[in-house]
């Protein structure tokens, strides 16, 4: 039903790798940051959000990451464990690094931004020795978040994880997850992300993120079909191009194209759309559903999260997502 296959004999479905952070979401919405008085704390970081999304949908999920040796780091590990996510490979930093904080500013549903405090962030201190071959071998798939490539030693740790995954036939999902403040230049982003994309089975990215991977090589065409052709020539079996509130378009290695719109909802903020979409889309692929059904499922999940105050905490269950689809198909 979809082109994705994975090894069956593995206890874990998905291991996410990369950022474990905290979102501080403004309580007083529709206000600039300068006038915001209070925030609510949530687990954050794109791969963390996707791991929570997958776990809430019933996938056996694990995480490879590094947290700060303080109360915020404890909070993150505890939250993951409460969600049923295996934290045996979430290591504690011993160098005095801190948890990355994302303060959200919600001026209006269309005008949202994030103010990041990420100097000396613990997640980017993940080292190659923190990545265990035996752990990766236990999973059907890994999810790599592009931001983990932005600095050493996390960059090398990701490449090690990628090689272990390829060696043990573990499916590789790559979400480019571009966060400009983590990188030195767009060229650096494009080059490193491209190195991972070339070896990934499924690439999930927005139009601008694919542009980043094409621009340094003089291939910038802003064209989804050209993008699909480029990546399907490598290892990818599925290329997902996200277009925000205009939905998404997905290309598969059997020459098919699938388009999906969005579900109407009362948007509070746009953060979390991509992570909820990715988590639910990946879940659908593992159910063996058709690509268009997976896309619908992802879209419906995103419509729930953009209508909520948080990202991680708002990740829906299968029943909640199905309810949105059923309601809109009446
Ligand atoms: N305003 C919105 N209303 C409903 N669904 C949305 C909205 N914005 C995005 N989505 C859904 O979430 C998916 C991913 O959103 P997108 O904004 O492209 O990702 P990211 O958050 O990573 O930039 C879209 O393909 C769409 O299905
Ligand atoms: O990824 C982060 O560090 C911040 C996220 O937790 C945040 O809530 C967010 O921006 C979600 O990203 P999206 O799903 O790509 O919109």
């Amino acid at each position: 039903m979809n082109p994705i296959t994975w090894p069956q004999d593995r206890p874990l479905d998905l291991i996410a790798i990369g950022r474990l952070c905290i979102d501080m979401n403004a309580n007083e919405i529709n206000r600039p940051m300068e006038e915001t008085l209070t925030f609510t704390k949530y687990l954050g970081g794109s791969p963390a959000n996707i791991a929570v999304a997958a776990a809430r949908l019933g996938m056996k999920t694990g995480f490879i990451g590094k947290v700060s040796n303080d109360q915020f780091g404890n909070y993150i590990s505890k939250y993951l464990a409460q969600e049923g996510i295996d934290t045996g490979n979430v290591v504690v930093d011993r160098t005095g690094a801190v948890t990355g904080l994302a303060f959200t500013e919600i001026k209006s549903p269309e005008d949202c931004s994030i103010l990041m405090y990420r100097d000396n962030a613990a997640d980017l201190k993940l080292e190659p020795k923190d990545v265990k071959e035996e752990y990766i071998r236990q999973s059907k798939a890994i999810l790599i978040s592009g931001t983990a490539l932005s600095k050493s030693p996390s960059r090398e740790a990701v490449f090690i994880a990628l090689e272990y995954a390829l060696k043990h036939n573990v499916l590789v999902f790559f979400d480019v997850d571009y966060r400009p403040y983590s990188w030195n230049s767009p060229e650096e982003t494009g080059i490193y992300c491209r190195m991972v994309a070339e070896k990934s089975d499924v690439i999930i990215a927005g139009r601008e993120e694919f542009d980043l991977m094409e621009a340094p090589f003089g291939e910038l065409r802003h064209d989804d079909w050209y993008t699909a052709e480029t990546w399907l020539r490598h290892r990818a079996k599925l290329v997902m191009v996200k277009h925000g509130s205009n939905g998404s378009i997905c290309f598969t290695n059997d020459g098919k194209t699938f388009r999906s719109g969005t579900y109407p909802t009362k948007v509070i903020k746009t953060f979390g759309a991509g992570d909820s979409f990715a988590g639910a889309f990946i879940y659908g692929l593992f159910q063996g559903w058709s690509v268009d059904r997976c896309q619908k499922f992802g879209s419906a999940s995103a419509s729930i999260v953009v209508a909520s105050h948080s990202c991680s905490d708002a990740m829906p269950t299968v029943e909640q997502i199905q309810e949105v689809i059923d309601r809109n198909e009446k």
Side-chain angles (χ1 to χ4, degrees):
M1 290 284 269
N2 69 59
I4 302 308
T5 54
W6 56 87
Q8 297 295 322
D9 55 334
R10 310 282 168 100
L12 285 170
D13 295 318
L14 182 72
I15 296 174
I17 304 174
R19 198 151 82 263
L20 290 166
C21 293
I22 287 183
D23 285 351
M24 292 289 202
N25 288 6
N27 291 330
E28 300 88 24
I29 59 169
N30 303 326
R31 274 198 212 174
M33 185 68 82
E34 290 84 342
E35 290 167 26
T36 302
L37 294 176
T38 62
F39 300 85
T40 298
K41 163 166 116 326
Y42 300 104
L43 171 75
S46 174
N49 293 336
I50 296 175
V52 171
R56 291 233 172 128
L57 295 170
M59 292 179 73
K60 293 191 193 75
T61 308
F63 209 98
I64 298 174
K66 192 164 253 183
V67 291
S68 57
N69 186 18
D70 59 17
Q71 295 91 327
F72 280 155
N74 298 343
Y75 161 77
I76 291 170
S77 299
K78 212 166 149 192
Y79 189 98
L80 293 174
Q82 274 165 1
E83 292 293 323
I85 297 167
D86 176 53
T87 56
N89 286 261
V90 173
V91 284
V92 178
D93 168 78
R94 301 288 168 193
T95 69
V98 297
T99 296
L101 303 177
F103 293 89
T104 63
E105 179 181 52
I106 308 171
K107 287 192 194 162
S108 76
E110 296 78 37
D111 187 3
C112 308
S113 63
I114 296 184
L115 187 56
M116 280 282 188
Y117 278 62
R118 279 185 59 70
D119 277 355
N120 199 26
D123 58 277
L124 292 171
K125 307 275 177 195
L126 187 74
E127 292 175 60
K129 69 174 166 54
D130 301 325
V131 178
K132 305 284 184 263
E133 179 171 359
E134 185 47 34
Y135 189 53
I136 292 194
R137 207 181 65 77
Q138 286 178 36
S139 189
K140 298 183 174 105
I142 59 167
L143 169 87
I144 294 175
S145 157
T147 301
L149 297 166
S150 64
K151 297 259 182 305
S152 294
S154 165
R155 176 182 290 166
E156 290 78 8
V158 169
F159 278 109
I160 297 274
L162 176 61
E163 289 307 318
Y164 289 154
L166 297 176
K167 178 172 168 192
H168 296 292
N169 203 22
V170 175
L171 192 65
V172 179
F173 288 91
F174 180 43
D175 186 325
V176 173
D177 176 37
Y178 178 52
R179 309 283 167 171
Y181 36 74
S182 300
W183 293 90
N184 292 315
S185 70
E187 290 76 17
E188 184 191 37
T189 316
I191 288 163
Y192 283 101
C193 285
R194 193 173 169 115
M195 286 163 70
V196 171
E198 282 175 357
K199 294 184 169 179
S200 297
D201 297 292
V202 178
I203 308 171
I204 303 175
R207 179 63 263 159
E208 303 73 23
E209 293 173 324
F210 279 110
D211 288 347
L212 274 170
M213 294 195 283
E214 292 165 18
F217 300 90
E219 298 169 0
L220 188 56
R221 301 207 193 160
H222 309 292
D223 177 55
D224 294 347
W225 278 260
Y226 174 77
T227 292
E229 206 182 290
T230 302
W231 297 108
L232 294 171
R233 261 205 317 271
H234 290 279
R235 189 186 162 88
K237 295 159 188 71
L238 196 151
V239 174
M240 167 63 75
V241 190
K242 296 180 292 178
H243 284 280
S245 56
N246 293 320
S248 61
I249 180 162
C250 187
F251 301 86
T252 53
N253 61 348
D254 53 3
K256 296 199 178 111
T257 304
F258 304 86
R259 278 181 186 282
S260 168
T262 58
Y263 286 91
T265 192
K266 195 170 169 355
V267 179
I268 292 186
K269 45 88 181 117
T270 50
F271 318 119
D275 297 341
S276 47
F277 177 83
F281 181 76
I282 292 170
Y283 168 82
L285 292 176
F286 273 92
Q287 303 312 299
W289 294 348
S290 62
V291 172
D292 47 353
R293 184 170 173 197
C294 300
Q295 254 172 314
K296 265 191 186 179
F297 204 70
S299 273
S301 177
S303 77
I304 294 171
V305 172
V306 294
S308 314
H309 189 253
S310 74
C311 296
S312 54
D313 228 37
M315 292 300 175
T317 61
V318 172
E319 292 71 28
Q320 288 168 323
I321 298 176
Q322 196 54 49
E323 200 270 320
V324 170
I325 296 172
D326 294 344
R327 187 169 5 108
N328 282 279
E329 280 178 2
K330 266 188 199 148

